[in-house]
Amino acid sequence: MAAVPDYRWRMAPEGLATRRQLREMGLRPGGQDVAAELQRPRRRGPLVAYLYRIDRAKPVRPMTPGRAASLAKAMRARRICPNCRRDAGYCIPRSLGMCVTCDDIRRERSA
């Protein structure tokens, strides 16, 4: 793999964008290779973001009814508590592995 150019934070040239910036423009990388890296210095080592060429980006694919149904099903599964099997109304925190109510009950029993 050839080395890609590195740019410091906010110093990237025009015509390059991160995935998030491409998405805001209604674009996606579309299979292109990383054009450059953006590095933001910090104490623990730099944060790195990959940059893609805007002129090679492709439009975002439209949401189809099947993709929308699949996404809704996946999000619904993230709201179901594995302990009480109820819809919590929010995405279950992965750090808890259960809804907040079940976690509170578990903590009360162990105290």
Side-chain angles (χ1 to χ4, degrees), residues 21-93:
Q21 290 169 334
L22 287 175
R23 180 59 77 155
E24 288 174 2
M25 295 180 229
L27 301 171
R28 61 186 170 94
Q32 66 175 295
D33 290 330
V34 173
E37 288 183 356
L38 188 65
Q39 294 191 356
R40 181 177 184 185
R42 64 179 187 163
R43 290 183 190 156
R44 292 180 276 155
L47 288 174
V48 177
Y50 299 116
L51 299 172
Y52 301 91
R53 289 181 48 175
I54 296 172
D55 60 343
R56 289 188 182 173
K58 295 180 179 177
V60 173
R61 294 183 190 122
M63 183 65 73
T64 63
R67 287 176 67 196
S70 177
L71 182 61
K73 184 178 178 183
M75 293 305 292
R76 190 170 39 255
R78 291 180 63 192
R79 291 192 315 260
I80 304 296
C81 176
N83 277 4
C84 62
R85 308 299 303 162
R86 288 184 285 187
D87 186 339
Y90 54 88
C91 288
I92 304 295

